[in-house]
């Protein structure tokens, strides 16, 4: 069986159905040597997710669903006095543009939308659908 390094020498030679585990040892939280924290996947991206803080309801679905942990979070205390993660941005060095975050966003006008890689984030925010 091929090792992850052999399977992913280049993007076009990825073995169909390959799984890249995040952790070598999940019990001790030791990250796999072949993971997006060690190997950039950003150059795969054709589109990128853009985050609109004003529309976010802090459900954290995007953060939980992201396969590459590219969301930057800040720990805050909510109205009930419980600790909660608040999304503050996206680390584009880790993001491969898979759009899972956009798919799981539950807001009526999504707080995450995909835009072409070359579109500046400020320009993308100007193009956002408006609330009725």
């Amino acid at each position: 069986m091929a090792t992850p390094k052999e399977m992913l020498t280049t993007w076009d030679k990825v073995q169909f159905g390959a799984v890249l585990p995040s952790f070598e040892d999940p019990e001790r939280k030791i990250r796999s040597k072949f993971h997006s924290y060690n190997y950039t996947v950003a150059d795969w991206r054709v589109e990128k997710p853009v985050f609109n803080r004003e529309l976010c309801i802090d459900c954290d679905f995007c953060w939980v669903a992201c396969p590459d942990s590219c969301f930057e979070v800040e720990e805050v205390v909510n109205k009930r006095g419980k600790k909660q993660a608040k999304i503050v941005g996206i680390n584009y060095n880790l993001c491969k543009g898979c759009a899972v975050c956009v798919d799981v966003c539950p807001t009526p006008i999504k707080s995450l939308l995909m835009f072409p890689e070359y579109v500046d984030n400020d320009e993308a925010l100007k193009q956002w659908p408006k609330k009725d």
Side-chain angles (χ1 to χ4, degrees), residues 52-118:
N52 188 331
R53 178 73 243 165
E54 293 177 16
L55 297 172
C56 184
I57 60 171
D58 295 316
C59 68
D60 299 331
F61 287 4
C62 56
W63 177 56
V64 171
C66 180
D68 291 306
S69 302
C70 68
F71 284 91
E72 296 172 344
V73 296
E74 182 179 279
E75 190 177 278
V76 295
V77 177
N78 67 18
K79 295 175 186 174
R80 297 182 184 134
K82 294 188 178 188
K83 291 180 182 177
Q84 179 180 346
K86 178 180 178 180
I87 307 298
V88 294
I90 297 172
N91 181 336
Y92 288 112
N93 290 325
L94 302 177
C95 176
K96 66 176 162 264
C98 69
V100 169
C101 55
V102 175
D103 291 341
V104 299
C105 182
T107 55
I109 298 177
K110 298 209 178 256
S111 59
L112 287 149
L113 291 176
M114 297 300 286
F115 285 89
E117 179 67 28
Y118 61 85

Side-chain angles (χ1 to χ4, degrees), residues 23-43:
F23 297 102
E24 282 183 13
D25 184 351
E27 296 282 323
R28 295 187 297 166
K29 302 285 188 209
I30 296 174
R31 288 207 177 271
S32 170
K33 289 177 182 67
F34 199 77
H35 188 266
S36 64
Y37 278 100
N38 299 327
Y39 294 89
T40 183
V41 292
D43 57 350

